[in-house]
Amino acid sequence: MSKSVNEVTKESWVLDTFPEWGTYLNEEIESEAVKEGTFAMWWLGCTGIWLKSHEGTNILCDLWCGTGKRTHGNGMMKKGHQMMRMSGVQKMQPNLRTQPFVIDPFEVKNVDALVVTHIHSDHLDINTAAAVHQNCPEAKFVGPKEVVNTWLKWGIPEEKTIVVKPGDEVKIKDINVVALEAFDRTALVTCEDPEVTLKDKLPQDMDQIAVNYLFETTGGSLYHAGDSHYSNMFAKHGNEHKIDVCLGAYGENPRGITDKVTSVDMLRMAESLNAKVVIPVHYDIWANFMADPKEITEIWKFKKDRLKYEFKPYIWQVGGKFTYPTNKDDLEFNFYRGFEDAFSVENDTPFPSFL
């Protein structure tokens, strides 16, 4: 039904438009019947993942429903920001959000656990926590100590939370969630109090603020590296665990900053983990860290025969589904294009040459 321009407001526009995909992806995930011997997952933007097992267990990891910069402000970095601490920058970071919201958090259903890798706000999100808490009363909230402390401040009941540290395992129905060491040096220089000086002090305990996860399903395993940088310890994780698919926070680091894994180190990570598939994530979300993921594929092609790589890269798209092992050899995702039923009924044009 048409509206009058006098009835349209900023509030009505927001409610009519966001999230941009409405419940399209919510419906797809809910209706997906995962085949035996496989697991399915959907990329929700940044490092946000929805994981679903053959048995119907649903785990939501690192879903972020916030925004980056929305105004130029005074043009200066917030005092004490981790990027300022890292490299002594003063000008504002131009980190605009570049991806649409592909899922409606307040329409989520059947989530068995919200699992978060670390303390940064583009992974630990109050909107996601609220939606899961309200819609899925039985869901567990799993994270390292400081992540759980944040949930408690937001009002998540303590009995719903599970604190994990490297070496811990949590059973979420048929999925075994293994917490492993994280290698996120940016998290180590994150401190909310701008008056606190970190120089010449011992660093924070990484195990309390960040962990990586291995999700073990009956159809295979998924390693989620959160925002970890490259570490030689990936080889230890690869020795100790069977890892089928690994996700890494890929991006093009601005001058003077090391916050994301580069294309070469994405390949090193996959090789060290003994993974079968490596998937870059996170490069999609920030305007100032965007990178071309096909760079990973091209370098893989250049090296794979000489170095005898036993894994393949997979270039995903936000909102897309990946099923292991069904898609393990695909290299690249594309959305369903439709129109396979063209001319299944008589078309209606003024005359054939119109086409």
Side-chain angles (χ1 to χ4, degrees):
M1 180 180 291
S2 60
K3 294 181 178 179
S4 162
V5 293
N6 297 316
E7 296 175 294
V8 176
T9 64
K10 183 175 182 177
E11 289 72 22
S12 70
W13 167 66
V14 169
L15 290 173
D16 286 346
T17 307
F18 299 99
E20 291 95 329
W21 282 29
T23 59
Y24 187 95
L25 191 58
N26 299 70
E27 296 165 22
E28 177 182 325
I29 294 170
E30 186 177 358
S31 64
E32 177 73 13
V34 180
K35 293 182 179 178
E36 187 173 1
T38 74
F39 70 81
M41 60 181 182
W42 292 260
W43 186 15
L44 309 179
C46 198
T47 66
I49 298 295
W50 188 303
L51 173 65
K52 189 171 186 178
S53 70
H54 160 66
E55 292 81 359
T57 300
N58 293 279
I59 292 181
L60 194 54
C61 182
D62 276 16
L63 172 59
W64 174 55
C65 299
T67 66
K69 291 294 182 293
R70 300 179 65 186
T71 173
H72 285 272
N74 64 2
M76 303 303 288
M77 182 77 76
K78 179 183 177 182
K79 184 182 177 184
H81 189 277
Q82 55 265 28
M83 299 300 180
M84 175 181 283
R85 295 185 189 273
M86 183 188 299
S87 295
V89 294
Q90 299 181 73
K91 293 182 179 179
M92 182 173 67
Q93 179 188 188
N95 59 326
L96 298 162
R97 181 180 174 124
T98 59
Q99 279 292 342
F101 292 93
V102 296
I103 196 164
D104 187 336
F106 288 95
E107 295 297 330
V108 300
K109 301 175 183 177
N110 306 318
V111 172
D112 296 295
L114 173 61
V115 178
V116 169
T117 57
H118 67 288
I119 56 173
H120 285 151
S121 59
D122 54 340
H123 303 258
L124 175 58
D125 176 60
I126 192 170
N127 303 292
T128 304
V132 172
H133 173 57
Q134 294 168 21
N135 292 6
C136 311
E138 302 302 316
K140 294 298 183 182
F141 288 70
V142 182
K145 182 178 179 180
E146 291 306 317
V147 166
V148 170
N149 284 344
T150 301
W151 280 328
L152 295 176
K153 291 177 187 175
W154 289 344
I156 300 299
E158 187 173 3
E159 61 270 19
K160 285 190 172 187
T161 65
I162 301 175
V163 176
V164 292
K165 62 184 184 305
D168 289 346
E169 299 186 15
V170 176
K171 197 77 171 177
I172 305 296
K173 293 185 175 178
D174 56 279
I175 297 179
N176 192 45
V177 182
V178 183
L180 298 166
E181 293 88 354
F183 317 112
D184 184 357
R185 292 183 289 278
T186 306
L188 290 179
V189 293
T190 298
C191 178
E192 290 186 358
D193 188 346
E195 302 306 319
V196 171
T197 300
L198 301 182
K199 192 173 183 179
D200 297 326
K201 295 180 180 178
L202 289 174
Q204 301 178 71
D205 184 348
M206 181 79 85
D207 294 348
Q208 295 192 14
I209 60 177
V211 293
N212 292 351
Y213 290 105
L214 180 64
F215 299 99
E216 298 175 325
T217 80
T218 58
S221 62
L222 169 68
Y223 183 97
H224 195 305
D227 273 357
S228 286
H229 302 93
Y230 181 77
S231 171
N232 294 329
M233 285 280 287
F234 282 133
K236 185 174 186 291
H237 292 175
N239 288 346
E240 295 175 346
H241 302 277
K242 181 181 181 296
I243 297 169
D244 293 312
V245 182
C246 64
L247 307 176
Y250 169 61
E252 198 66 62
N253 295 295
R255 183 174 179 271
I257 297 292
T258 299
D259 187 57
K260 298 291 176 282
V261 182
T262 64
S263 52
V264 171
D265 281 341
M266 285 292 298
L267 299 178
R268 292 182 71 201
M269 179 180 76
E271 183 181 33
S272 294
L273 291 170
N274 291 326
K276 297 181 179 66
V277 182
V278 59
I279 305 179
V281 292
H282 213 321
Y283 65 89
D284 65 298
I285 204 75
W286 294 128
N288 60 328
F289 278 87
M290 289 188 73
D292 188 342
K294 290 189 179 181
E295 178 182 326
I296 297 170
T297 306
E298 292 307 309
I299 296 174
W300 173 80
K301 289 177 183 177
F302 185 76
K303 292 184 171 188
K304 66 182 179 68
D305 295 323
R306 184 174 182 180
L307 297 183
K308 307 297 182 186
Y309 282 157
E310 296 183 4
F311 65 88
K312 293 180 179 180
Y314 184 81
I315 307 307
W316 218 353
Q317 292 187 52
V318 175
K321 181 182 72 170
F322 175 88
T323 301
Y324 182 83
T326 309
N327 302 122
K328 69 180 180 64
D329 296 318
D330 287 356
L331 297 182
E332 193 166 347
F333 173 87
N334 196 30
F335 286 105
Y336 166 65
R337 299 177 69 201
F339 294 96
E340 75 281 354
D341 59 343
F343 295 103
S344 59
V345 298
E346 186 175 358
N347 62 306
D348 180 20
T349 57
F351 36 84
S353 60
F354 227 76
L355 305 177

